[in-house]
Amino acid sequence: MKYTVSLEIALPRSQVISLLADPAHLPKWLRGLVVHEPLNGVHGEVGTVSRVVLQMGQQQMECTETITRRDPEDLPASVFHYEREIVGKGMWSAARERLTESGPETTLWTSENEYRFSGLGMRLVGLLMPGAFRKQSLKHMQDFKAFAEHGTDVREAQN
């Protein structure tokens, strides 16, 4: 299953990249994040493998995230690419993030996502509810936008 979602953020691209790259900010916009810890390497650098635990309702999902691309390393460039693979029980996912200057003070964030399922349960979820994955990706992006533009912290909105 593949899909692409995008949104515009009312901040310069360099500021968006800085906020996304800072692991201290993750809990403020990544809804349900319990743990995001590098197992090797440095957060956000190519080759780094991290343990990620997310709480979704009554269920916890644990997976590993591997950073597969980050370029250019230094700005300025017209497009910034950040890619990662996520592996969890019964699933593999690739997320390809592109941050493009859409104006002097605006950034277009485009996220291409691909999922492959190996377990019967996850295959059924992917088959019966494919829109849920797209909706969740867009929700994370909207949460980041609210955090970046207004300082909104998702933890304050949760019970």
Side-chain angles (χ1 to χ4, degrees), residues 92-118:
W92 170 92
S93 169
R96 297 169 188 93
E97 315 296 343
R98 242 181 5 258
L99 299 167
T100 309
E101 287 182 9
S102 55
E105 298 295 317
T106 57
T107 302
L108 177 64
W109 180 3
T110 303
S111 180
E112 297 175 5
N113 297 270
E114 177 180 355
Y115 285 85
R116 296 181 195 152
F117 306 110
S118 57

Side-chain angles (χ1 to χ4, degrees), residues 61-81:
M61 180 181 100
E62 183 169 338
C63 54
T64 58
E65 172 192 70
T66 304
I67 306 305
T68 57
R69 180 180 181 190
R70 179 186 170 158
D71 70 70
E73 290 294 326
D74 298 314
L75 297 177
S78 59
V79 180
F80 179 81
H81 297 270

Side-chain angles (χ1 to χ4, degrees), residues 7-78:
L7 60 73
E8 198 166 73
I9 300 169
L11 289 172
R13 189 174 55 118
S14 60
Q15 192 173 349
V16 170
I17 291 168
S18 293
L19 290 170
L20 280 170
D22 188 341
H25 294 312
L26 282 171
K28 297 175 184 174
W29 63 269
L30 190 54
R31 195 175 297 267
L33 181 67
V34 177
V35 173
H36 191 289
E37 60 186 2
L39 300 174
N40 68 0
V42 177
H43 177 83
E45 290 187 4
V46 173
T48 298
V49 177
S50 298
R51 175 177 168 252
V52 180
V53 179
L54 294 170
Q55 183 77 37
M56 296 176 283
Q58 298 300 316
Q59 295 192 330
Q60 256 191 16
M61 180 181 100
E62 183 169 338
C63 54
T64 58
E65 172 192 70
T66 304
I67 306 305
T68 57
R69 180 180 181 190
R70 179 186 170 158
D71 70 70
E73 290 294 326
D74 298 314
L75 297 177
S78 59

Side-chain angles (χ1 to χ4, degrees), residues 80-142:
F80 179 81
H81 297 270
Y82 185 78
E83 300 179 3
R84 61 197 189 284
E85 291 184 1
I86 300 163
V87 178
K89 185 176 180 179
M91 63 146 282
W92 170 92
S93 169
R96 297 169 188 93
E97 315 296 343
R98 242 181 5 258
L99 299 167
T100 309
E101 287 182 9
S102 55
E105 298 295 317
T106 57
T107 302
L108 177 64
W109 180 3
T110 303
S111 180
E112 297 175 5
N113 297 270
E114 177 180 355
Y115 285 85
R116 296 181 195 152
F117 306 110
S118 57
L120 178 62
M122 287 304 294
R123 283 185 183 174
L124 285 173
V125 169
L127 183 64
L128 298 174
M129 300 187 331
F133 290 86
R134 183 183 188 287
K135 183 178 177 183
Q136 185 65 43
S137 295
L138 187 57
K139 182 64 177 158
H140 287 314
M141 292 170 76
Q142 291 167 336

